[in-house]
Amino acid sequence: MPDPLSSPETPQDAVPAAPSRRELNKAATRQAITDAALGLLRSKGPGNFTVEDIADTAGISRRTFFNYFSSTDAALASIVHGFLDNAIQQLRLRPAGEPMLESAQAALVALADPKAIAPLAELFSLTQQSPLMSHTELEAWDHCRAQVFTVARERLAGTPGERDELYVHALAGSIISCGKAAMEVWFSRRGPDLSPASLAELRQLLIDAMALLGAGFTTTAFPSATRSS
C-alpha cells in the first residue's frame, strides 16, 4: 500500500538537497547571535545587556540582528529551537495514522541523548530564577505551541471529524501545557542542575507527561506518572 505521505513529486526516500552557501551563512549568523545572547546572559545576567551588546559580541551590525530577531527575548528564546526542531522532525517521521499523542511521546523517546534537552532546561531554569526573563519564556513556549499546532493540523487535515479548529488548538495547547508541567516538576526537584542525570530525568518527565495526557490523566492506567524521584 502506498504511503499517504509520499507522492511522485516528493518521494519519501528522496535525498534532500544540500543547503546552499547562502543558507549555510544565514544559519551560521543565526547561531552566532544566539550563542552571543546566551554568553551575555551567563556573564551579565538578565536585563543587563542590549541588542547592541549582542550584535557587537556576534560581530554583526544592529541591522543584521533585526533581520533575524525582533528583540533580545526572541534571540534568547531561539536557544531552545534546536531541540524543538529535532522533536518536530521526529514527530513528522511518525506514521500518519498514529494518534497524535502517541507520536508526541515517541518523538521524545527518539531523542535519546539527554544533552539534546540541555538548552531547553537551561533557559527554563534561568526564567524561573529571574522575573526579568518572563517574556523570554513566553516567546519560547509560543514558538513551541505554534510548531505543534502546525504539525497537528497537517496530521489531522484528512481525518474526518477532526478538522475542527478548536480540536487542533486544544490538542496543541494540551501538549504544551503538559510539557510545561513536566518542566516545572523537574525544576522543583532539581533546580538549576544541568547534570546528565538531571537532564535524563527531565526527558523522562516529558515522556511521562505525554503518556499521562494520552491516558486521559487516568493514573491507574499510567501509575509511573505519579511516582516521585
Side-chain angles (χ1 to χ4, degrees), residues 105 185 189 201 204-213 215 217-229:
Q105 185 181 7
V185 169
R189 295 178 182 177
E201 181 176 352
Q204 188 59 51
L205 283 168
L206 288 167
I207 292 169
D208 286 354
M210 293 304 109
L212 186 59
L213 179 59
F217 295 98
T218 304
T219 55
T220 54
F222 188 65
S224 63
T226 57
R227 66 174 180 263
S228 60
S229 58

Side-chain angles (χ1 to χ4, degrees), residues 126-148:
L126 290 167
T127 59
Q128 304 313 296
Q129 296 177 80
S130 172
L132 291 173
M133 293 193 64
S134 59
H135 290 297
T136 300
E137 183 182 15
L138 288 174
E139 284 268 6
W141 287 115
D142 282 347
H143 181 79
C144 290
R145 184 180 292 104
Q147 290 282 77
V148 172

Side-chain angles (χ1 to χ4, degrees), residues 142-208:
D142 282 347
H143 181 79
C144 290
R145 184 180 292 104
Q147 290 282 77
V148 172
F149 175 83
T150 298
V151 175
R153 201 175 200 179
E154 291 170 355
R155 290 282 298 275
L156 301 174
T159 307
E162 293 191 346
R163 302 180 185 181
D164 184 80
E165 287 291 288
L166 177 60
Y167 181 94
V168 181
H169 275 285
L171 178 61
S174 297
I175 289 173
I176 294 303
S177 293
C178 283
K180 291 178 71 175
M183 299 289 294
E184 288 163 2
V185 169
W186 167 76
F187 188 76
S188 71
R189 295 178 182 177
R190 294 285 191 163
D193 178 11
L194 298 177
S195 66
S198 179
L199 295 175
E201 181 176 352
L202 173 56
R203 173 178 171 270
Q204 188 59 51
L205 283 168
L206 288 167
I207 292 169
D208 286 354

Side-chain angles (χ1 to χ4, degrees), residues 15 43 45 64 78 82 98 111 117 149 164 179 185:
V15 177
S43 63
T64 298
S78 72
E98 185 176 60
L111 299 174
I117 211 168
F149 175 83
D164 184 80
V185 169

Side-chain angles (χ1 to χ4, degrees), residues 29 48 53 61 65 71 83 89 144 182 192 196 201 203 218:
T29 300
N48 295 323
D53 293 329
S61 67
F65 175 93
S71 64
F83 168 79
Q89 182 180 14
C144 290
E201 181 176 352
R203 173 178 171 270
T218 304

